[in-house]
Amino acid sequence: MKYSNCFVPTLRDVPADAEVISHQLLLRAGYIRRVTSGVYDYLPLALRVLRRIEAIIREEMERAGAQELLMPMVQPTELWEKSGRLSKYGPELLRFEDRHGHQSCLGPTHEEVICDLMSRELRSYKQLPINLYQIQNKFRDEIRPRFGLMRGREFVMKDAYSFHADDESLMAEYRNMFDTYTRIFERLGLRFRPVEADTGSIGGSDSHEFHVLADSGEDLIAHCEGCDYAANVEKAVSGRDAPAGDAAPLTALATPAVTTAEDVAAFAGVDAALVIKTLVFCVSGGDADGAIVAACVRGDDQLQAVKLIHALGADALEMASDAQIEEIGGVTGFVGPLGLDAPVYMDAGLEAAVGMLAGANKRDLHLTGVDVARDLSRAQFVDLRETRAGDCCSRCGGQIALSRGIEVGQVFALGRRYTEPMEVQFQNQQGKREVATMGCYGIGVSRLMAAVVEQCHDDGGIAWPDILAPFSVILVSMGKSDEVLEASEDIYRQLQAAGVSVLWDERNERPGVKFKDAELIGIPLQVVIGDRGLKQGVAEFGRRGSERQEIALSAVVAASMAALSAGSGAAL
Ligand code: ATP
Ligand code: MG
């Protein structure tokens, strides 16, 4: 491709609304443009990268025995009623009515549609196991679309669904997909970590997420420095010392206008670990829908809301209003678990705590000497605290460290969560009807493009790994003499004939402009042809970001091919 024919609208300045580096660079280097909130155009360079990511995913999915299909983006909402997920999924599901009054939605994921298909087509155990996948646009009306392609509303996903006669077969495929994801992310050249994950609104038993390690990641992941335990903090369990309070009788402590756990601890002159922090929520979804509940963790801990949602079997939580707190006998700022007219969930680490300080449910008053076993026997004890760096690993006792991650994939062993209500049945070997068991496996294809840029960039711009670059070689003509242009065109044709994808910068621009653009858009190999070198029959050749060497013009094609195959076995 000639540069002057290529649509690459680069920008000189960093766009003001782009916070993370991948968003900035993809805009600046002319890869993407925003259409509306969370919705983007993929310009030609971006589409080339996207296609390369997709090719690797397809290759590995086919190698793993999965088959590609394509399902529609528009889904009838009645399928979501049937699966029981319509109310659970909430406002992220974009719903609309067609001219005939039929209710539809834009697919945020496809469990319902594929189960509907399988319920009609699956007959015998002989058709199982089967794994079907697609690469397609999804729509989720995210509350806070941000970071460009990282959290869009419309985005590209690879989603796969497997069906099995029994759970043993499901778990074998779960491991197969786990290994396939590992291979895909390795081939993409990413630093990543698989972690145990919460199953979220999708449901099911086992789940792992794959995280690309990057400071800009929205997820916090905990991993052990001593063993291979790793989990999203939404799920991570870890240990630490019990609070060391001394048994004492319950005593009122005047705490005028002192409300937060830290302030109360400082006011009373005790460690924050000796304070019971109480939060009050209004529950939506599940059996406790509409209830007001209290949740307690140690003053030096944070409550992990996802754990509480799980303990309640709920869909979501909202902080209770002052009026709702009053309804259950509490006073905002001075809420404590004693005497509240609401279910109390306490972090399991508090079960044997004594000599604790808690809100007294009266203005400007706290209680000291709280003995959890003695005073709170009606509370439910579950793991609610968020794992912290320095905690001890509940598997091996090693140290827990925290890092930030970008979730680029997730695998789920769903079991019969969807196949049961959607009636995906087959005839087993004994001739009896049975419900199939199911797994699902997603990869954020467009998010991956952003995640790669987060890991692969420098001050000059994007540094694509060879395997993903939109072009492998940028051929820069320095000067506008006929000799330079002719020699460049000759090399350009030779590279194309050898199957090397090449972008020829034949523009009538200053060398500085050309080199800046080459760096910014991130083409891995550079070939430079100028008047001076031409006289000696040489071109400059080198990798982006390192020094170029002079090589004979006749050696350019072979050198390019050698560099690319040494790099990563990339497609040329
Ligand atoms: P998140 O927790 O980031 O919202 P999720 O767990 O809801 O994601 P899944 O249902 O597991 O997402 O979807 C599969 C993959 O699709 C995710 O691992 C992620 O890489 C990608 N993905 C999900 N939501 C978005 C989004 N809004 N924009 C871009 N990619 C997304
Ligand atoms: Mg996920």
Side-chain angles (χ1 to χ4, degrees), residues 140 142 149-153 155 157 202 209 218-219 407-410 412 442-444 446-447:
R140 295 183 181 178
E142 297 272 356
L149 300 186
M150 209 86 93
R151 183 167 298 282
R153 292 199 301 156
F155 58 96
M157 197 201 284
I202 293 218
E209 289 166 350
E218 289 185 284
D219 284 62
E407 183 198 320
V408 289
Q410 187 164 11
F412 297 85
I443 291 183
S446 46
R447 183 182 283 182

Side-chain angles (χ1 to χ4, degrees), residues 491-521:
I491 297 284
Y492 176 60
R493 302 270 170 235
Q494 286 180 39
L495 284 166
Q496 282 185 325
V500 176
S501 67
V502 50
L503 182 61
W504 174 21
D505 193 348
E506 29 58 281
R507 291 176 300 170
N508 187 11
E509 289 281 1
R510 282 179 291 113
V513 171
K514 293 188 176 190
F515 286 126
K516 266 221 161 79
D517 282 341
E519 294 265 301
L520 181 61
I521 64 180

Side-chain angles (χ1 to χ4, degrees), residues 56-113:
I56 291 167
I57 293 174
R58 283 200 171 90
E59 226 176 274
E60 293 299 338
M61 289 302 289
E62 302 279 331
R63 190 209 295 222
Q67 297 169 65
E68 187 169 4
L69 85 173
L70 186 58
M71 290 180 274
M73 199 171 172
V74 173
Q75 308 185 359
T77 38
E78 63 202 52
L79 295 181
W80 286 68
E81 265 158 31
K82 192 165 180 188
S83 72
R85 195 158 54 155
L86 191 56
S87 57
K88 258 183 177 292
Y89 211 87
E92 261 183 40
L93 190 67
L94 186 70
R95 296 164 66 172
F96 58 95
E97 190 181 286
D98 67 19
R99 64 166 81 192
H100 303 295
H102 296 144
Q103 300 295 320
S104 299
C105 60
L106 287 184
T109 174
H110 278 68
E111 284 79 13
E112 280 76 7
V113 174

Side-chain angles (χ1 to χ4, degrees), residues 376-444:
L376 290 156
S377 54
R378 280 180 39 243
Q380 307 211 38
F381 294 91
V382 279
D383 175 46
L384 289 180
R385 67 181 286 268
E386 186 164 292
T387 287
R388 289 183 307 195
D391 279 358
C392 91
C393 172
S394 41
R395 259 193 217 157
C396 78
Q399 269 232 337
I400 295 286
L402 296 182
S403 43
R404 294 231 148 249
I406 302 167
E407 183 198 320
V408 289
Q410 187 164 11
V411 292
F412 297 85
L414 293 172
R416 294 170 181 80
R417 160 71 187 87
Y418 296 92
T419 49
E420 181 97 57
M422 302 291 296
E423 299 170 278
V424 182
Q425 299 176 354
F426 65 98
Q427 200 159 50
N428 68 17
Q429 262 170 306
Q430 288 74 45
K432 280 214 185 103
R433 306 280 304 156
E434 246 190 81
V435 175
T437 182
M438 177 181 182
C440 76
Y441 320 92
I443 291 183

